[in-house]
Amino acid sequence: MLFLHRPDCYSYSSTSSKLTILSPTRLTISPTFFKYLGCKYIVFISNPGTSTDTPVFLTITLIGEIIVPIYLFIYYRAKNNLDALDIVMPFKKDKIAQKFGIGYLIGFLAFAIIFAIAVFGGGFTTKIVWSSKNIILFVLMLIGFLIQGTTEEIVCRGYVQGRITEKLGVFWAIALSALFFASGHLGNAGVSLEGFVGLLAFGILTALLRFYTGDLWLCGALHGAWNFAEGPFFGTPVSGISGTELLFKSTSVPHHPWLNGGAFGIEASLTCIIVLILLSFLTVYLGQKYSDNKLDLN
């Protein structure tokens, strides 16, 4: 669910303590970096079905992910490498509320539409499970999923996409950052080929948004809103992780995986993949028309 890198891993080092990934850009992961999240967090992400798979524990891990952007910010500031910081964590100071609001609205509504299609198509049975005792946890999860979604965007669309853009250009950066994002979920429960394709489509959409907007406000908010709607609000598995339902609880109806995505969740559904592809095409259309950043489509 979260993918960690040393901030200096774009250097061409090949020491034995590093595992090389995405070889076209020589990006690397250092095992020592995982200490920043702690053993329980890694066990939870690798084995979502463990006893730690509870809303309270998940909320703690979601909020705890803030350590990643804090680490990156301190690292680059300490190195006085502000240019690199702007690539890895591009958060422009203009129109913050507007970009954040639009991103959150798109993320929540997109998931709500996909979910509504699944429900009316018979893919889910849904019931209300809300209790007033859950209000604090509900708010904390809202905040937690925003932190988690934005952190994943910093790593995948900030660091990975930003660095690959420098080395190989925009098209490779969009494709490889999306592939990296999807591959990072292969250890999640219920993962399938359809789920991988759905996550790849999601990664391409957010990569396009990062390119056209020039920063991470919109795609970070979209990611956080999507996951919050998916889990605590509508009560479906969040990329294979269940047990987050607080308002509704939705149960997948067997033999309708093209609507509900099965055990992995709605990202593995054909409906979701189609909607994400359509949103990507819409993003390209609007981006080419209105953004200062334009893809060379010739």
Side-chain angles (χ1 to χ4, degrees):
M1 194 172 185
L2 180 63
F3 330 115
L4 302 178
H5 314 269
R6 286 178 60 91
D8 57 345
C9 67
Y10 56 87
S11 64
Y12 294 148
S13 172
S14 58
T15 59
S16 59
S17 64
K18 294 179 179 179
L19 170 66
T20 302
I21 61 171
L22 296 179
S23 56
T25 56
R26 301 295 297 268
L27 295 175
T28 56
I29 288 180
S30 168
T32 58
F33 194 75
F34 285 99
K35 69 183 180 181
Y36 292 99
L37 289 190
C39 294
K40 285 187 178 180
Y41 176 74
I42 297 170
V43 169
F44 169 75
I45 295 304
S46 302
N47 303 281
T50 63
S51 61
T52 55
D53 189 12
T54 65
V56 173
F57 183 81
L58 176 59
T59 302
I60 293 171
T61 62
L62 292 173
I63 294 175
E65 290 190 20
I66 200 171
I67 196 169
V68 177
I70 289 175
Y71 174 81
L72 291 171
F73 180 80
I74 292 174
Y75 179 89
Y76 285 115
R77 293 289 295 187
K79 294 285 185 179
N80 199 29
N81 194 346
L82 300 185
D83 290 338
L85 183 61
D86 285 339
I87 293 173
V88 174
M89 298 176 65
F91 289 100
K92 296 180 181 177
K93 296 180 181 178
D94 62 305
K95 300 180 180 178
I96 294 175
Q98 178 182 337
K99 288 182 284 190
F100 183 90
I102 291 173
Y104 203 92
L105 188 64
I106 292 172
F108 195 93
L109 287 180
F111 186 88
I113 290 169
I114 295 166
F115 178 75
I117 293 171
V119 170
F120 286 112
F124 286 106
T125 58
T126 303
K127 64 179 180 180
I128 298 174
V129 294
W130 175 254
S131 168
S132 58
K133 296 184 295 184
N134 291 337
I135 189 167
I136 294 177
L137 189 58
F138 192 78
V139 173
L140 289 176
M141 274 202 168
L142 186 152
I143 296 169
F145 275 115
L146 273 176
I147 293 172
Q148 173 263 335
T150 302
T151 297
E152 287 193 9
E153 293 307 308
I154 288 171
V155 173
C156 296
R157 258 59 72 178
Y159 183 79
V160 176
Q161 185 175 339
R163 288 303 180 187
I164 296 177
T165 298
E166 286 187 313
K167 304 295 182 182
L168 298 177
V170 174
F171 283 101
W172 274 110
I174 290 172
L176 291 177
S177 65
L179 182 63
F180 181 76
F181 170 74
S183 299
H185 294 75
L186 289 175
N188 288 24
V191 68
S192 61
L193 176 60
E194 294 83 357
F196 183 84
V197 173
L199 291 170
L200 190 64
F202 186 92
I204 290 173
L205 172 62
T206 51
L208 287 168
L209 290 170
R210 185 256 196 264
F211 170 74
Y212 282 119
T213 62
D215 63 28
L216 299 177
W217 286 115
L218 197 150
C219 59
L222 184 153
H223 196 151
W226 177 283
N227 284 355
F228 179 74
E230 189 171 25
F233 200 94
F234 290 112
T236 66
V238 182
S239 302
I241 298 175
S242 58
T244 63
E245 62 275 356
L246 293 175
L247 182 57
F248 295 100
K249 179 176 176 61
S250 300
T251 304
S252 298
V253 176
H255 312 302
H256 288 77
W258 65 277
L259 279 171
N260 56 43
F264 188 71
I266 214 162
E267 287 107 338
S269 69
L270 180 61
T271 307
C272 180
I273 294 170
I274 291 172
V275 170
L276 289 172
I277 291 173
L278 291 175
L279 284 174
S280 293
F281 277 114
L282 179 61
T283 299
V284 172
Y285 172 77
L286 294 175
Q288 294 294 105
K289 191 171 183 178
Y290 297 109
S291 175
D292 293 332
N293 301 322
K294 299 186 189 301
L295 292 171
D296 183 4
L297 301 178
N298 297 323

